[in-house]
Amino acid sequence: MNAGSIADAFDQTPGAGIIAPCDHFDAVTLPGPVGTALLLMLDRFTVHAPSLADLHGTVTVLVEPGTSHRLAETCVDLVIHTGPTAWIALPPSHGIRWDTPPVPHRPLPHALTVRPHLERVVTLARRAGERP
């Protein structure tokens, strides 16, 4: 199947989605405010982490496979998707868009690269009286 036939299939099936198993990446889903603040922080420090946003206000950051468990205790509402039995929806699935698209041949960041930035965002949210 080529890109043209995939585009045609989506045109013929409104609302169709792409589901990807999390075996070549881990996906970390965060509440919108925390996720958005994290993306801004990552941009500020030039850490390229592909990320998705959805209509429900969540942000999903992709990290190196097998590393997302390093983020598990940083945020109350964080959800980890890892391994071939876990999956996420990818654009152009309904309501899903790339915030930061992946760059071909550029490796995903290790979760330990993302962790200090997420910890900082969570600390700032708690100081502001929010529940991250």
Side-chain angles (χ1 to χ4, degrees):
M1 191 172 257
N2 64 33
S5 62
I6 292 171
D8 290 342
F10 271 97
D11 288 342
Q12 296 171 12
T13 314
I18 296 176
I19 303 300
C22 298
D23 51 355
H24 295 289
F25 57 84
D26 282 3
V28 180
T29 301
L30 301 156
V34 171
T36 300
L38 174 62
L39 296 179
L40 291 170
M41 185 79 70
L42 293 174
D43 283 348
R44 180 176 175 204
F45 288 93
T46 64
V47 175
H48 180 81
S51 58
L52 305 153
D54 68 24
L55 294 175
H56 306 292
T58 63
V59 171
T60 301
V61 178
L62 305 183
V63 295
E64 189 177 306
T67 66
S68 60
H69 66 281
R70 303 291 200 138
L71 302 174
E73 297 175 6
T74 58
C75 182
V76 173
D77 295 324
L78 176 140
V79 178
I80 292 173
H81 312 271
T82 184
T85 59
W87 58 271
I88 61 167
L90 295 175
S93 301
H94 179 71
I96 307 288
R97 66 174 174 76
W98 287 110
D99 183 275
T100 306
V103 175
H105 310 293
R106 188 168 188 176
L108 296 171
H110 191 286
L112 289 178
T113 302
V114 173
R115 185 177 175 121
H117 304 291
L118 180 56
E119 287 173 338
R120 179 73 177 143
V121 165
V122 168
T123 297
L124 292 172
R126 286 186 181 138
R127 283 185 189 158
E130 299 171 13
R131 180 183 166 255

